[in-house]
């Protein structure tokens, strides 16, 4: 039986490879648009909303003061950002979770001392799940501070190595006057980690166009009916379930291949970070199955491939919009909770967790996506009899 | 000789509409059985049931003595099918199409390659096998469709309107090939609404109308039921319906049916009736372009039995 399923899937794949739409929707459009959005937004440009940051100075030292007073405060004074202060990191994290702020900088206790002792030190950035651009800007502010500090520290070290005439007190003062080496660290919020801009756009576009990639394979059954080949299948000694399974397999293979190729290209070209391969594979497979299930259900309630194609296109656009595949859904305010019903949300959530290295929410995302696939697939299967009538 | 197809009392309805109403026939090994009927008579539904594509509401179908239906893979493997549409993938070559359909019948490797070459040669397409089907003429595509139906060397072959839309040369080739297949022992169910095809290649004919087999037999048996009757074909300049109504009132006219170009009559002694026909039309101001009297044939039988012209 699997031989027949594979035969049907292989024939579909051969036809899809000859079909330019696979290249268009599976590769050219997502990569092109991800490149476009990343180049437009990846430099920290804002999208016209207020940028609200919170800073937590748990250190109280000289270097933390440099970051707060000389980096963040001037931006606040110039009206570029709205800066709030909070004394407790947990409270800051809660404020970000509640969307009162887009991101929070957390300067931990002992930060200045650690830097002065030449030890590793870090400033945390807590990002809101729904403020991709604002969080990216926060990361870049912190990164910029770290870069300048590296340069200053290197200069001081060179001066010492060259035997510059200065007392230890003078050198210490010079180090404190300049930005110090800071390692940027992400701090997870209660909900999820935040994807960087390149990964967000690459993954968002890839999943958005996935629906168009699998659409042709799924609606092909309706074309088979119209073209008469369905009658040939049904007359052959082939179980009807094999026909459905073959279609689902080809759609899944095309979808998985498309996502993985996009992940590879976006990593190489855009510097996107999709995370560890096993997690990416699990998310990709469950995400593709959800897309295949949903598009199959739509096709099962359609009378022609044209009608199914139109419906799937509208649905794909709507889900992509609500699910954050096209832009961060924080802009929808409270309505953004609707994104929870979209596979896009769960795919991007899982990927954000992977990208952040924790992977905590990945099993949840995989389970939800698989659940969507099963539910939608069952709905489609319940209509199989009608679809398989020539 | 053994029966390959046995169809008994098959019925199929959709809602209140009965599409196939108690159809039955048997086809022996090496025999061509013509299923003759106009569009909408129930031919394609009957064929779909015979092929195991549709489940009949009642009745039975047996293939080579075994029960047959949509779930019977063993009997399906014994049948070849040429559907009404070509049912090919136009973006694949003929060879790729045939390779795929061969796999559906469990053929692979060298066996599949041999069968593909065999059927391509049989339909005269071996030299164009690697061209895309989309580049084929209608006749070539139809021959490819027939080739696909022969891949499994079927005991029974079902062809649904196999010559529809093909050029006369391809049509002749198809008819000769079907005859040759039957001569090699294949039982053939041949659906058509072309009377001359049925007369030319079918050993027996079943006349299907409104979902029922209205008459069945060899050409001779069917024509003999007409006795002295003739079929008169009139070509008119319009007003065919008016003419049909007027001519049906003439003594000796059993049926008058308006067709696309005029009127067809089922009548006694057409030659004697012709002057009256001309007069009746002239009296009504209808212009007659031509009048042809046909000796009894299947077309006349069909008109006589169903009261309809086959291509009205």
């Amino acid at each position: 039986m699997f031989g027949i399923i594979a035969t049907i899937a292989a024939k579909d794949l051969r036809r899809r490879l000859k079909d330019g739409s696979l290249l268009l929707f599976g590769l050219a459009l997502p990569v092109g648009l991800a490149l476009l959005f990343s180049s437009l937004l990846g430099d920290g440009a804002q999208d016209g909303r207020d940028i609200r940051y919170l800073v937590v100075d748990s250190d109280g030292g000289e270097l933390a003061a440099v970051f707060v007073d000389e980096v963040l405060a001037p931006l606040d004074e110039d009206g570029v950002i709205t800066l709030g202060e909070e004394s407790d990191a947990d409270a800051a994290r809660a404020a970000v979770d509640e969307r009162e702020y887009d991101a929070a900088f957390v300067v931990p206790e002992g930060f200045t001392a650690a830097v002065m002792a030449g030890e590793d030190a870090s400033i945390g950035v807590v990002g809101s799940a729904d403020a991709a651009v604002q969080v990216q800007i926060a990361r870049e502010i912190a990164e910029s501070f770290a870069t300048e500090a590296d340069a200053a520290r290197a200069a001081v070290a060179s001066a010492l190595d060259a035997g510059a005439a200065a007392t230890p007190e003078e050198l210490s003062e010079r180090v404190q006057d300049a930005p110090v080496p800071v390692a940027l660290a992400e701090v997870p919020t209660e909900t999820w980690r935040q994807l960087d801009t390149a990964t967000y756009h690459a993954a968002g576009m890839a999943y958005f166009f996935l629906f168009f990639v699998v659409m042709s394979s799924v609606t092909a059954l309706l074309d088979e009916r119209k073209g008469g080949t369905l009658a040939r299948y049904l007359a052959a000694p082939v179980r009807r379930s094999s026909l459905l399974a073959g279609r689902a397999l080809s759609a899944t293979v095309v979808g998985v291949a498309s996502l993985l190729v996009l992940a590879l290209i976006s990593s190489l070209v855009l510097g996107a970070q999709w995370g560890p391969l096993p997690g990416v594979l699990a998310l990709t497979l469950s995400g593709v199955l959800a897309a295949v299930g949903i598009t199959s259900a739509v096709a099962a309630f359609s009378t022609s491939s044209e009608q199914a194609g139109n419906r799937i296109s509208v649905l794909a656009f709507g889900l992509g919009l609500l699910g954050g595949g096209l832009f961060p859904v924080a802009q929808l305010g409270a309505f953004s909770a609707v994104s929870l019903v979209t596979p896009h949300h769960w795919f991007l959530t899982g990927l954000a967790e992977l990208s952040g290295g924790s992977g905590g929410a990945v099993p949840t995302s995989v389970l939800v996506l698989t659940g969507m696939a099963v539910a939608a697939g069952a709905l489609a299967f319940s209509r199989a009899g009608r679809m398989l009538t020539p | 000789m053994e029966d390959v197809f046995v169809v008994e009392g098959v019925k199929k309805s959709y809602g209140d509409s009965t599409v196939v109403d108690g159809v039955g026939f048997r086809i022996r090994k090496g025999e061509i059985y013509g299923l003759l009927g106009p569009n909408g008579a129930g031919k394609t539904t009957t064929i779909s049931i015979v092929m195991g594509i549709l489940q009949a509401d009642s009745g039975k179908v047996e293939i080579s003595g075994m029960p047959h239906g949509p779930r019977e893979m063993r009997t399906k493997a014994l049948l070849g099918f040429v559907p009404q549409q070509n049912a090919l993938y136009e973006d694949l070559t003929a060879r790729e199409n045939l390779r795929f359909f061969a796999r559906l019948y469990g053929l692979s490797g060298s066996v599949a390659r041999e069968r593909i070459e065999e059927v391509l040669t049989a339909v005269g397409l071996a030299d164009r096998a690697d061209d895309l089907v989309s580049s084929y003429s209608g006749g070539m595509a139809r021959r490819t469709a027939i080739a696909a139906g022969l891949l499994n060397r079927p005991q029974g072959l079902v062809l649904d309107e196999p010559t529809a839309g093909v050029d006369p040369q391809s049509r002749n080739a198809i008819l000769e090939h079907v005859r040759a297949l039957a001569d090699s022992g294949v039982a053939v169910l041949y659906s058509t609404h072309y009377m001359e095809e049925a007369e030319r290649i079918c050993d027996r004919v079943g006349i299907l109308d409104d979902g029922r087999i209205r008459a069945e037999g060899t050409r001779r048996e069917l024509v003999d039921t007409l006795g002295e009757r003739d079929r008169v074909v009139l070509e008119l300049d319009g007003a065919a319906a008016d003419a049909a109504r007027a001519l049906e009132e003439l003594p000796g006219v059993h049926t008058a049916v308006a067709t696309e170009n005029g009127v067809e009559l089922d009548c006694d002694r057409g030659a004697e009736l012709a002057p009256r026909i001309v007069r009746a039309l002239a009296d009504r101001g209808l212009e007659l372009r031509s009048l042809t009297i046909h000796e009894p044939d299947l077309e006349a039988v069909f008109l006589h039995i169903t009261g309809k012209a086959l291509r009205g």
Side-chain angles (χ1 to χ4, degrees):
Chain A
M1 182 171 170
F2 184 76
I4 291 294
I5 294 171
T7 297
I8 292 169
K11 182 266 301 171
D12 276 4
L13 290 174
R14 182 178 292 117
R15 297 184 70 208
R16 293 299 309 278
L17 288 172
K18 290 184 177 184
D19 181 356
S21 68
L22 182 59
L23 202 62
L24 180 69
F25 290 116
L27 202 61
L29 278 175
V31 168
L33 288 176
L35 269 171
L36 181 68
F37 289 149
S38 290
S39 63
L40 287 176
L41 304 174
D43 60 355
Q46 61 171 299
D47 58 1
R49 296 194 304 139
D50 286 340
I51 302 176
R52 302 158 302 169
Y53 290 153
L54 201 52
V55 63
V56 181
D57 182 2
S58 300
D59 177 50
E62 292 287 338
L63 299 180
V66 169
F67 181 61
V68 175
D69 298 336
E70 297 180 20
V71 177
L72 298 180
L75 292 173
D76 185 26
E77 287 162 11
D78 292 344
V80 177
I81 65 172
T82 300
L83 185 66
E85 293 194 20
E86 180 59 66
S87 57
D88 180 60
D90 288 339
R93 192 174 288 114
V96 171
D97 275 340
E98 293 297 320
R99 297 179 184 149
E100 293 171 14
Y101 289 88
D102 298 316
F105 299 97
V106 179
V107 185
E109 188 178 350
F111 176 76
T112 300
V115 172
M116 293 307 297
E119 298 169 359
D120 290 338
S122 63
I123 290 178
V125 175
V126 181
S128 167
D130 299 317
V133 175
Q134 289 77 4
V135 175
Q136 179 65 14
I137 293 170
R139 290 161 54 90
E140 291 180 5
I141 289 171
E143 244 170 342
S144 171
F145 182 66
T147 304
E148 287 183 26
D150 270 337
R153 185 178 176 81
V156 171
S158 297
L160 285 172
D161 288 346
T167 64
E169 290 73 20
E170 287 171 336
L171 287 173
S172 174
E173 198 172 310
R174 285 165 65 180
V175 169
Q176 288 182 24
D177 284 345
V180 293
V182 178
L184 183 65
E186 290 182 64
V187 178
T189 66
E190 292 295 323
T191 51
W192 69 358
R193 287 170 179 264
Q194 178 62 51
L195 288 170
D196 63 84
T197 304
T199 310
Y200 167 73
H201 286 302
M205 286 299 139
Y207 201 75
F208 174 75
F209 281 106
L210 174 68
F211 280 70
F212 295 92
V213 168
V214 302
M215 181 171 74
S216 294
S217 295
V218 168
T219 59
L221 195 57
L222 295 165
D223 284 327
E224 303 269 14
R225 184 162 61 181
K226 185 178 176 186
T229 41
L230 179 60
R232 229 187 245 289
Y233 276 111
L234 299 179
V238 174
R239 296 194 186 285
R240 296 180 183 213
S241 55
S242 301
L243 181 53
L244 296 174
R247 290 267 170 258
L249 180 62
S250 71
T252 303
V253 168
V254 166
V256 168
S258 167
L259 278 188
L260 291 181
V261 168
L262 278 168
L264 182 66
I265 289 177
S266 63
S267 300
L268 296 173
V269 177
L270 299 172
Q273 297 175 336
W274 287 61
L277 186 60
V280 172
L281 287 175
L283 264 180
T284 297
L285 184 59
S286 56
V288 169
L289 288 174
V292 170
I294 290 168
T295 50
S296 297
V298 174
F301 283 87
S302 303
T303 54
S304 68
S305 63
E306 291 80 10
Q307 186 185 52
N310 290 337
R311 288 176 174 179
I312 290 171
S313 298
V314 170
L315 183 72
F317 193 77
L319 290 176
L321 212 59
L322 294 175
L326 298 175
F327 66 90
V329 289
Q331 294 179 15
L332 298 174
F335 194 62
S336 63
V338 176
S339 69
L340 293 173
V341 302
T342 69
H344 302 66
H345 169 87
W346 294 102
F347 181 75
L348 293 172
T349 301
L351 210 57
E353 288 296 326
L354 274 180
S355 174
S358 81
V362 174
T364 306
S365 293
V366 169
L367 280 175
V368 173
L369 288 168
T370 305
M372 287 179 173
V374 170
L379 189 60
F381 196 74
S382 71
R383 303 271 294 180
R386 193 189 65 86
M387 287 189 82
L388 292 176
T389 301
Chain B
M1 200 173 285
E2 67 181 273
D3 288 326
V4 176
F5 294 92
V6 174
V7 180
E8 288 181 2
V10 165
K11 288 189 179 183
K12 182 73 180 176
S13 299
Y14 295 101
D16 295 335
S17 173
T18 300
V19 182
V20 177
D21 190 7
V23 166
F25 53 82
R26 288 167 180 259
I27 308 174
R28 295 184 298 274
K29 193 176 173 185
E31 182 183 34
I32 302 177
Y33 184 91
L35 198 56
L36 195 62
N39 292 330
K43 297 194 300 291
T44 296
T45 304
T46 300
I47 281 175
S48 295
I49 292 168
V50 170
M51 284 308 304
I53 295 170
L54 290 177
Q55 177 70 56
D57 296 337
S58 62
K60 78 167 184 181
V61 180
E62 286 182 358
I63 302 298
S64 296
M66 292 179 281
H68 178 62
R71 294 177 187 276
E72 301 294 338
M73 301 303 148
R74 194 169 48 153
T75 45
K76 278 187 171 183
L78 302 177
L79 298 179
F81 184 41
V82 181
Q84 196 165 8
Q85 292 171 281
N86 285 331
L88 300 167
Y89 298 105
E90 295 207 336
D91 49 356
L92 300 181
T93 67
R95 195 184 302 281
E96 287 171 336
N97 268 284
L98 294 174
R99 192 179 300 138
F100 172 68
F101 291 122
R103 286 286 296 142
L104 295 186
Y105 283 85
L107 305 172
S108 59
S110 59
V111 175
R113 281 194 293 276
E114 282 172 22
R115 293 286 179 87
I116 290 167
E117 288 308 320
E118 178 183 305
V119 297
L120 282 169
T121 304
V123 298
L125 283 173
D127 56 338
R128 296 286 305 274
D130 294 313
D131 293 352
L132 292 178
V133 171
S134 58
S135 70
Y136 283 4
S137 67
M140 290 169 70
R142 203 73 189 125
R143 278 145 62 197
T144 309
I146 291 172
L150 300 174
L151 283 163
N152 59 328
R153 289 182 183 160
Q155 292 182 16
L157 178 65
V158 176
L159 301 104
D160 191 3
E161 308 267 4
T163 59
V166 303
D167 58 276
Q169 193 179 354
S170 294
R171 192 178 191 178
N172 277 334
I174 289 169
L175 293 177
E176 284 172 14
H177 192 65
V178 172
R179 184 70 258 174
L181 283 167
D183 291 344
S184 72
V186 178
V188 178
L189 174 58
Y190 191 98
S191 155
T192 184
H193 63 262
Y194 292 123
M195 202 65 72
E196 59 274 25
E197 286 184 7
E199 292 202 321
R200 179 171 160 188
I201 67 165
C202 293
D203 299 305
R204 286 188 305 132
V205 171
I207 292 178
L208 187 68
D209 185 47
D210 289 336
R212 293 181 179 186
I213 298 280
R214 306 293 291 271
E216 184 187 78
T218 63
R219 179 189 179 283
R220 171 56 52 198
E221 289 167 348
L222 290 171
V223 167
D224 284 350
T225 63
L226 293 177
E228 297 296 317
R229 289 190 183 188
D230 290 326
R231 183 167 62 94
V232 178
V233 177
L234 308 173
E235 281 192 32
L236 300 170
D237 281 332
D242 289 344
R245 275 195 296 274
L247 296 174
E248 203 158 33
E249 293 171 4
L250 291 177
V253 174
H254 298 284
T255 313
V257 178
T259 64
E260 193 177 338
N261 300 319
V263 177
E264 282 192 30
L265 303 177
D266 170 27
C267 58
D268 297 329
R269 294 180 292 279
E272 294 175 20
L273 196 61
R276 295 184 185 205
I277 292 170
V278 174
R279 169 66 65 84
L281 292 174
D283 288 348
R284 285 162 180 77
L286 298 170
E287 191 172 339
L288 178 66
R289 286 204 310 224
S290 71
L291 183 153
T292 312
I293 300 170
H294 293 268
E295 292 296 313
D297 58 8
L298 285 179
E299 191 107 30
V301 173
F302 191 87
L303 184 64
H304 170 64
I305 291 173
T306 68
K308 298 172 186 172
L310 195 55
R311 279 170 285 175

